Amino acid sequence: MANYRRAQSKNNNRAAMLAVVLLLVVMALAGLAFALLMPSSAPSASPAAEGPLPGLELEREEDFPEEEFHYLLNASPAFNKKGEKGSVYLENCDGNRGYMQVVYTLAESGEEVYQSPVLPPNWSVQTDKLARQLEPGEYEAIAAVYVYPSVEAEEYIALFEETIHITVG
């Protein structure tokens, strides 16, 4: 029994190969566009999140005079040995007009060891890391709460200072 095979021209093979390559390029471009346009599920670089601190059972004032500024701040933040996963618990309360940034400065040396992102009203930070690693121990520090009229502003409009105790373990 004889096997018969149909002869194919080189032009048909090249056209089919070109069509497959073009189809693959179009699919790759569509996938790239989809990946760039879809919101990322990866964690953001900023530890800030919209909304109040979750799980905190506090009665917050909602209607207060415009000249008042309400915030929440952990007076005893604790960090792991690497200075990460610190329980900073910062909140720029809903109803404020200003943007808030918190800076920790060691009382003994005056060295700045933490700077939060600038928080709009109704934004918070649960955990964050120190700007530099500290030896395990307890440190007395000052938490300076700077209030800015906008996120782009370079000059603050109010400053509040709180004594805090940082623990690195």
Side-chain angles (χ1 to χ4, degrees), residues 103-163:
V103 175
Y104 295 168
T105 305
L106 296 179
E108 189 174 297
S109 66
E111 180 182 4
E112 184 179 301
V113 294
Y114 174 74
Q115 186 174 30
S116 77
V118 177
L119 301 175
N122 196 36
W123 277 67
S124 60
V125 174
Q126 283 188 301
T127 60
D128 206 354
K129 62 183 179 180
L130 293 172
R132 76 167 200 86
Q133 192 170 349
L134 296 173
E135 292 294 319
E138 294 188 14
Y139 300 85
E140 188 168 319
I142 302 297
V145 180
Y146 294 93
V147 181
Y148 297 94
S150 72
V151 74
E152 297 89 18
E154 294 181 18
E155 296 292 322
Y156 60 88
I157 56 175
L159 170 62
F160 305 97
E161 292 185 334
E162 306 281 344
T163 301

Side-chain angles (χ1 to χ4, degrees), residues 62-75:
E62 293 183 17
D63 293 323
F64 50 87
E66 186 176 324
E67 63 273 2
E68 289 184 10
F69 188 83
H70 293 218
Y71 63 90
L72 297 177
L73 168 81
N74 184 2

Side-chain angles (χ1 to χ4, degrees), residues 9-65:
S9 74
K10 287 185 179 182
N11 287 338
N12 283 345
N13 284 342
R14 286 186 184 158
M17 181 63 84
L18 183 60
V20 168
V21 168
L22 285 175
L23 180 62
L24 290 173
V25 168
V26 167
M27 288 174 51
L29 289 174
L32 179 63
F34 180 76
L36 291 175
L37 295 176
M38 289 302 293
S40 173
S41 61
S44 67
S46 175
E50 188 170 4
L53 288 166
L56 196 57
E57 300 297 326
L58 278 179
E59 189 172 320
R60 294 171 174 88
E61 283 189 52
E62 293 183 17
D63 293 323
F64 50 87

